[in-house]
Amino acid sequence: MTRRYLFPLALATVLTAGLATPAAAAGDAEWRADLTTVDADDTGVGAHDGAIRLDRAAPTPASARAAVRTGFLLLEPHDLGAPANAVAATVESTVPAGAEVAVDVRGALGGDRWTEWVEARPDAPAVLPRAVGTVQVRVALTAEKATPEVRRLDLRAFSAPARTDGVTAEAAGLSYRVYATREGLVGGTTANGHVIVSRDHFVALPSRRGLSAKGTGTYSVRVCASNGRCEWAPVWDVGPWNTKDDYWNPSATREMWKDLPQGKPEAQAAYENGYNGGKDQFGRTVANPAGIDLADGTFWDGLKLTDNAWVTVTYQWTGSGPAGFVRTEAQNGTVNVRGGATSTASQVGIAANYAQVRVECQVTGQSVTGTQGTSNLWYRIASGKFVARAYVSGVSGATAC
């Protein structure tokens, strides 16, 4: 990433601290983030004199259609030395009106799998759903006009009372019926820095808690239409309508709109019931109940949709059990999902490059050669839907169907 040298702003300094966290104790892991450089994993930010600021060309999340520039500094994973489930953040920053600095934390689950991102707020630490030995921190910067600046970030990991979300996900993951719209916007830039191409394959959800970094599918969904077709695709953008509406999460841990039932997007409530005066978080009148945006390839080729529609979305990272990631030779490639364990079986969907797939079981079928070598094993990733093992990496513990 090109380093940008930006002029400083004469603004008041804001110190954001974990005020509600317990005092540091023996055994807590403490460290200071490196704010001196940015690299290819970072989006829309630049480093100058040991501080991080939004790049002048920072993208506006295409799906949200709101004039809020967004950038992310993704720090290297940090080994805690001992398991912990909470991280407090102290931030020294300059935040002008209309701007925001947020610190997100996630925990490593092994095998390229992570917990969802959880924000470490000024009055509360990020509490993860389980204790982990490695965490990763992401600094999110947003601005309508003048950019915020982060000069120092101190972090502390410790043990806190476990979360009580009150929900146990099925092995396949949480699943809800929501309204889908086509994102389009070819040539635009997504929240994670991906430039949208024709017939692209990804989705947008209205919260950065489930946003994958560019070129990864840590957070992916399975989207199924009423015609029986499904696509597995990574979450690469934030929207539609809102940017802080993780509606798939329990109300108690939902980022905003905590009085809405789990699984109901704020835009749907606003459109159907006049919730929040019929407006989104930006004060815009909601024109449809969309809870997911689909890239053109996902919309047209994966699901064979011709108009906006109600779909069933399964949030893959909320599941448990064996899982892997689709790997194709082409950057924007896809793998056919078949109705049986052979390449001559009917195509019943598509799995996009990088997408995470949950494996129900495996069967022996036609031998196929792909990015992961040659194999006659096929994974069942939904009822009546199979993908060749030759195109899926990282699966461990799959049992016979």
Side-chain angles (χ1 to χ4, degrees):
M1 180 179 293
T2 303
R3 183 171 297 176
R4 306 278 184 156
Y5 292 92
L6 308 178
F7 57 89
L9 296 174
L11 297 166
T13 296
V14 177
L15 184 65
T16 303
L19 302 178
T21 64
D28 289 358
E30 297 182 280
W31 71 104
R32 179 166 297 169
D34 179 8
L35 303 180
T36 60
T37 59
V38 297
D39 58 30
D41 291 331
D42 304 317
T43 303
V45 295
H48 179 54
D49 292 337
I52 297 296
R53 301 186 65 202
L54 275 175
D55 189 282
R56 292 183 179 182
T60 296
S63 183
R65 297 172 176 85
V68 179
R69 290 182 298 142
T70 302
F72 295 100
L73 176 71
L74 185 65
L75 300 173
E76 289 295 319
H78 185 82
D79 185 359
L80 301 177
N85 70 330
V87 176
T90 302
V91 185
E92 184 181 326
S93 61
T94 300
V95 186
E100 181 184 21
V101 171
V103 178
D104 300 328
V105 182
R106 66 178 182 176
L109 300 177
D112 293 328
R113 299 177 189 89
W114 296 79
T115 68
E116 194 169 277
W117 291 105
V118 180
E119 184 177 347
R121 299 180 181 276
D123 59 348
V127 179
L128 303 175
R130 56 180 283 188
V132 296
T134 300
V135 298
Q136 188 169 31
V137 175
R138 180 179 69 182
V139 183
L141 292 81
T142 61
E144 296 175 359
K145 295 180 180 178
T147 178
E149 178 182 275
V150 180
R151 292 179 296 278
R152 178 171 164 175
L153 171 58
D154 293 322
L155 299 146
R156 179 170 62 88
F158 58 99
S159 294
R163 279 172 36 173
T164 54
D165 297 348
V167 171
T168 301
E170 297 292 333
L174 296 169
S175 185
Y176 296 102
R177 184 173 180 267
V178 299
Y179 194 70
T181 49
R182 182 177 66 85
E183 179 162 343
L185 303 173
V186 173
T189 304
T190 65
N192 72 358
H194 170 71
V195 177
I196 302 172
V197 300
S198 178
R199 314 297 280 221
D200 218 335
H201 290 268
F202 67 87
V203 306
L205 293 178
S207 169
R208 69 175 187 270
R209 286 186 168 183
L211 178 68
S212 294
K214 182 170 62 175
T216 73
T218 307
Y219 308 101
S220 297
V221 296
R222 182 182 77 202
V223 189
C224 297
S226 59
N227 59 15
R229 292 185 61 86
C230 299
E231 175 158 333
W232 286 253
V235 183
W236 280 1
D237 206 2
V238 177
W241 296 109
N242 295 298
T243 62
K244 294 185 178 183
D245 184 23
D246 53 323
Y247 59 82
W248 54 89
N249 280 326
S251 299
T253 59
R254 196 164 170 165
E255 193 171 10
M256 292 181 67
W257 326 115
K258 293 179 181 292
D259 55 336
L260 288 176
Q262 184 178 7
K264 188 163 191 175
E266 189 277 342
Q268 181 182 342
Y271 182 80
E272 295 178 343
N273 310 117
Y275 180 83
N276 194 41
K279 300 183 184 300
D280 67 3
Q281 75 182 68
F282 300 102
R284 300 173 300 183
T285 298
V286 174
N288 61 55
I292 190 171
D293 253 353
L294 310 177
D296 287 353
T298 304
F299 189 92
W300 287 324
D301 304 325
L303 302 183
K304 301 294 186 183
L305 295 176
T306 58
D307 200 357
N308 299 337
W310 291 93
V311 297
T312 300
V313 181
T314 304
Y315 309 85
Q316 298 289 87
W317 68 93
T318 68
S320 60
F325 295 90
V326 174
R327 295 288 184 264
T328 67
E329 294 178 356
Q331 190 76 4
N332 194 44
T334 60
V335 173
N336 289 323
V337 176
R338 301 287 183 180
T342 171
S343 59
T344 59
S346 59
Q347 189 215 54
V348 292
I350 285 176
N353 196 19
Y354 306 112
Q356 184 187 81
V357 293
R358 287 281 166 188
V359 176
E360 295 181 351
C361 57
Q362 65 184 25
V363 299
T364 300
Q366 179 186 4
S367 183
V368 174
T369 298
T371 58
Q372 306 305 303
T374 300
S375 176
N376 64 356
L377 292 179
W378 288 67
Y379 295 132
R380 192 177 78 192
I381 55 177
S383 178
K385 294 178 171 59
F386 298 83
V387 66
R389 179 192 181 280
Y391 289 99
V392 182
S393 70
V395 177
S396 176
T399 58
C401 293

